[in-house]
């Protein structure tokens, strides 16, 4: 019974929109993207708009409504996009280089959201970090946005 209730609530707090993925071999596949209205980190529900933070690390996509949704990460596809209302969202896989002292944190694969395309493209990444300064409660988190410039000559620059 609990499993059925959890699946029902998951569907209730999600909407399905037209979208696409581009595989690493450059094959384009059109289908549907699931937009979750439930924020797994905070336990809250998004009533107005889209919580884009989750899309920077995973997208749930299916080719047609006969198949289940499959999770794709930045390592498994190169691009994805979808339309919601009158807005088109485009995400591209990048490797973010950092100077972390922890070796496995030096390269992070992320989907970055394209917000402007011209001679130089502008991408955003929403990063969620624990904030120790909020009431001394370590369970509090804060989202912040990193902006990146990209062109084919200079690559990705924060």
């Amino acid at each position: 019974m609990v499993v059925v209730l959890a699946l029902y609530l998951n569907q209730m707090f999600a909407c399905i929109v037209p979208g696409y993925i581009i595989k690493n071999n450059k094959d384009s596949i059109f289908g549907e993207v699931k937009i979750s209205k439930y924020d797994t980190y905070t336990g809250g529900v998004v009533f107005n708009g889209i919580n884009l933070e989750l899309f920077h690390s995973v997208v749930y996509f299916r080719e047609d409504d006969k198949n289940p949704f499959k999770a794709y990460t930045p390592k498994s596809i190169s691009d994805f996009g979808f339309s919601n209302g009158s807005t088109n969202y485009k995400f591209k896989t990048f490797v973010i280089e950092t100077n972390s002292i922890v070796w496995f944190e030096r390269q992070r694969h992320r989907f970055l959201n394209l917000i402007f395309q011209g001679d130089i493209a502008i991408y955003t990444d929403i990063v969620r970090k624990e904030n120790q300064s909020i009431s001394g409660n370590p369970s509090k988190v804060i989202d912040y946005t990193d902006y990146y410039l990209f062109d084919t000559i200079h690559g990705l620059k924060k």
Side-chain angles (χ1 to χ4, degrees):
M1 183 64 163
V2 174
V3 172
V4 172
L5 180 61
L7 291 172
Y8 174 74
L9 289 175
N10 187 32
Q11 291 301 323
M12 187 174 86
F13 292 125
C15 63
I16 310 302
V17 296
Y20 66 90
I21 61 171
I22 300 176
K23 292 185 171 185
N24 289 329
N25 65 4
K26 303 301 179 201
D27 286 345
S28 298
I29 301 173
F30 293 91
E32 297 174 323
V33 171
K34 183 190 287 188
I35 300 174
S36 179
K37 296 289 186 179
Y38 178 73
D39 188 334
T40 56
Y41 295 113
T42 64
V45 177
V46 178
F47 288 107
N48 193 11
I50 298 176
N51 178 12
L52 293 176
E53 193 269 335
L54 182 63
F55 285 113
H56 292 282
S57 58
V58 66
V59 60
Y60 292 93
F61 177 83
R62 68 180 176 192
E63 195 167 345
D64 56 47
D65 59 2
K66 295 176 183 73
N67 295 325
F69 282 93
K70 182 179 174 188
Y72 291 92
T73 64
K75 289 184 179 181
S76 60
I77 61 173
S78 68
D79 301 68
F80 76 91
F82 60 91
S83 297
N84 186 35
S86 62
T87 305
N88 294 323
Y89 295 92
K90 294 181 180 182
F91 289 81
K92 182 172 180 56
T93 297
F94 286 96
V95 177
I96 309 296
E97 303 279 343
T98 63
N99 292 328
S100 175
I101 60 171
V102 181
W103 68 269
F104 60 84
E105 291 181 355
R106 292 182 188 150
Q107 289 187 337
R108 293 182 302 130
H109 290 79
R110 298 284 287 174
F111 290 125
L112 299 185
N113 183 14
L114 178 67
I115 60 170
F116 176 79
Q117 179 65 58
D119 291 340
I120 297 176
I122 302 174
Y123 288 90
T124 62
D125 185 16
I126 300 172
V127 180
R128 181 167 283 176
K129 296 278 186 177
E130 286 187 15
N131 188 354
Q132 300 292 336
S133 66
I134 300 177
S135 306
N137 185 351
S139 66
K140 297 291 182 181
V141 294
I142 187 167
D143 290 342
Y144 64 92
T145 303
D146 286 334
Y147 292 88
Y148 294 88
L149 301 176
F150 176 79
D151 70 5
T152 55
I153 297 170
H154 301 98
L156 189 69
K157 301 292 180 191
K158 188 171 181 181

